[in-house]
Amino acid sequence: MASIPSNAATVNVAEESSLVVDDAANDDPRNDSDNASLDASGSEFTSLRSSILDYQYENGRRYQNYRKGEYLFPNDDEEQDRMDFLHHVYGMILGGELHLAPIKNPQRVLDIGTGTGIWAMDFADQYPSAEVVGNDLSPIQPGWLPPNCVFEIDDFEAEWEYNRPFDYVHGRELAGAVKDINRLAEQAFNNIKSGGYFELQAFTVKVYSDDGSLEERGPFTVQMCELIAQAGEKFGKPMQNMDTWPAALEAAGFLDVKTQVFKVPFSPWPKDEKQKNIGRYCQSVHSQGLSSYLPGILSTTLGWTELETTVMVAKVKNELKDLSVHQYNKLYVIYGRKP
C-alpha cells in the first residue's frame, strides 16, 4: 500500500460516506487548516467531514463542498462519466500512453487533481512497484483500487507538506483549476527527487479553425470562447493559458522542458479515418461537457440566468453538429526534469 503523507485526509471510497484519516497525522505537530488532516475524535473533524461529503447543488448539478468556490465544474455521476470517457480520448490521442515524460521505474508518484482516479489506477496497474497517490477536492474515486494506489482529499494549490519526495508528479485537465502556475511548478519542483519529472496534460478550453469556418458558421462557439476567457479572468483561474505553462516550469528550475501540442478535431469532419474517429469521440465528450462547465462559467461566474445559459448550450451544440465547421481544440502535454 502506498504510504500516505501526514498532511492530508485519505479517502477510502469503498463507500462514499467513509472517510479515513491516516494515524500518522495524530503524531505530526503540524495542523494545517488548509488541508483535511484533523483528529477524528474532535468536533472539528465532524465539521470537516461534513464539508467534504455534503455536496452543494447548483445549476441542476452537484458540486464539491470542501473548499467551495475553488472549482467551477460539477462532480456528479454525469461528470464522472464524461471524465472517464475523456480518459479514453487521451489514450486515442497519445497512442495508449499515460505519460510522455521519459520516466523509468518510478517508485513514488503523485497525481494532482486526480478526479475519478482513473489515470492513477491505470498508472498503478502499469507500474505495480510504484506507490501512486492521487489527490482531489472531491471523494469520488472508487473503492476497489490497485494495492499500490491511494487517494486523498486535498487541494493541490494549498501548501504541500509531503514527508518524502516523488519520482514523478502528474496533473491532467487542470485548466480552470490553477490560480498560480508558477507556484504550482515551484511546489512540484520542491517535492520531486533529482532526476524526476513533472508533467501536465490539458486541453485548453478554447476552439479553433484554420480555414475560417468557425468564424463564418460558428458565431456562438466563438462567443463562448470569449466568455470563457472573461470568466477565467474573473474567477482567477484561466482556462486558456496553457502556452504560459512551459515558462513556469523553466522558471521553477526544471530542465529539458518539452511541449507537445496536438490539434484535436471536435467533430468527425477530417478525412483521415483516425482523426475522424477521434473527432467522433470528442464531439460526444464536448457535447456532454458543455452542460458541465458552461453553467459554472456563465451562471455562477458571469451572472447569466439559467434560461440564457440553456439557450447558449443548445446553440453551441448545434454548431458542434455542423461538420462544415472544421473546429478543433489543442491538447498540451508539457514536462520537465528536475536536475
Side-chain angles (χ1 to χ4, degrees):
M1 176 66 71
S3 61
I4 303 161
S6 60
N7 72 310
T10 302
V11 175
N12 178 351
V13 207
E15 295 182 1
E16 188 175 83
S17 61
S18 95
L19 179 67
V20 179
V21 175
D22 180 25
D23 289 339
N26 297 327
D27 299 327
D28 195 320
R30 295 170 299 184
N31 184 13
D32 184 356
S33 62
D34 282 342
N35 58 50
S37 175
L38 289 176
D39 190 335
S41 64
S43 60
E44 287 182 298
F45 175 79
T46 302
S47 175
L48 179 62
R49 183 179 186 276
S50 176
S51 74
I52 292 173
L53 297 176
D54 293 342
Y55 300 116
Q56 296 290 315
Y57 294 85
E58 300 174 4
N59 308 313
R61 304 297 297 269
R62 191 188 74 185
Y63 296 80
Q64 101 280 350
N65 191 35
Y66 175 57
R67 306 208 66 165
K68 184 186 177 193
E70 291 298 318
Y71 188 63
L72 283 175
F73 307 146
N75 68 0
D76 51 25
D77 290 346
E78 183 179 350
E79 175 65 359
Q80 292 176 48
D81 288 343
R82 187 190 73 84
M83 288 190 285
D84 285 347
F85 196 13
L86 184 59
H87 177 70
H88 175 70
V89 172
Y90 266 89
M92 296 175 69
I93 298 167
L94 301 180
E97 299 293 339
L98 294 173
H99 60 87
L100 296 187
I103 56 177
K104 296 180 180 179
N105 194 31
Q107 294 301 296
R108 184 162 159 80
V109 174
L110 175 64
D111 183 33
I112 57 176
T114 194
T116 65
I118 190 169
W119 182 95
M121 291 185 291
D122 281 357
F123 191 95
D125 284 336
Q126 184 172 329
Y127 295 93
S129 66
E131 299 176 352
V132 182
V133 179
N135 66 35
D136 201 88
L137 293 171
S138 294
I140 58 174
Q141 301 77 32
W144 293 99
L145 307 174
N148 57 326
C149 182
V150 69
F151 295 116
E152 313 163 346
I153 299 305
D154 200 7
D155 183 355
F156 66 79
E157 291 214 292
E159 191 69 26
W160 294 15
E161 296 182 3
Y162 291 101
N163 295 325
R164 294 188 291 126
F166 297 91
D167 300 295
Y168 176 56
V169 175
H170 168 269
R172 175 182 281 185
E173 286 301 291
L174 301 185
V178 179
K179 183 176 296 183
D180 187 344
I181 185 61
N182 291 290
R183 182 172 184 267
L184 176 61
E186 289 172 2
Q187 293 217 88
F189 186 88
N190 293 334
N191 284 272
I192 291 178
K193 295 178 182 178
S194 177
Y197 282 85
F198 179 37
E199 180 168 351
L200 295 169
Q201 305 175 358
F203 278 97
T204 179
V205 190
K206 189 174 182 179
V207 187
Y208 306 84
S209 74
D210 291 334
D211 59 1
S213 59
L214 180 64
E215 291 74 16
E216 292 175 8
R217 294 182 290 279
F220 295 105
T221 302
V222 172
Q223 182 185 8
M224 175 194 70
C225 293
E226 295 171 349
L227 292 167
I228 288 171
Q230 294 174 23
E233 183 177 350
K234 183 176 181 179
F235 184 57
K237 296 184 178 183
M239 292 169 252
Q240 302 176 348
N241 70 332
M242 277 80 263
D243 55 340
T244 68
W245 290 7
L249 268 66
E250 292 174 347
F254 288 101
L255 302 179
D256 304 325
V257 175
K258 307 294 184 185
T259 302
Q260 288 188 246
V261 182
F262 299 83
K263 288 185 176 181
V264 182
F266 255 14
S267 63
W269 59 263
K271 294 181 180 179
D272 178 81
E273 283 302 317
K274 179 181 178 180
Q275 292 301 312
K276 183 185 292 292
N277 197 35
I278 290 174
R280 187 174 294 112
Y281 278 88
C282 284
Q283 185 182 49
S284 178
V285 171
H286 184 47
S287 180
Q288 188 174 359
L290 290 169
S291 299
S292 292
Y293 56 75
L294 279 189
I297 291 171
L298 299 182
S299 299
T300 305
T301 307
L302 298 182
W304 283 37
T305 66
E306 181 179 352
L307 177 59
E308 289 172 330
T309 301
T310 300
V311 170
M312 174 60 81
V313 169
K315 289 181 176 179
V316 174
K317 282 185 177 181
N318 283 336
E319 293 177 353
L320 183 62
K321 296 175 184 177
D322 185 353
L323 300 190
S324 71
V325 181
H326 299 159
Q327 54 182 292
Y328 66 87
N329 196 228
K330 292 182 180 180
L331 169 61
Y332 285 76
V333 179
I334 304 156
Y335 62 84
R337 176 179 57 85
K338 181 173 179 177

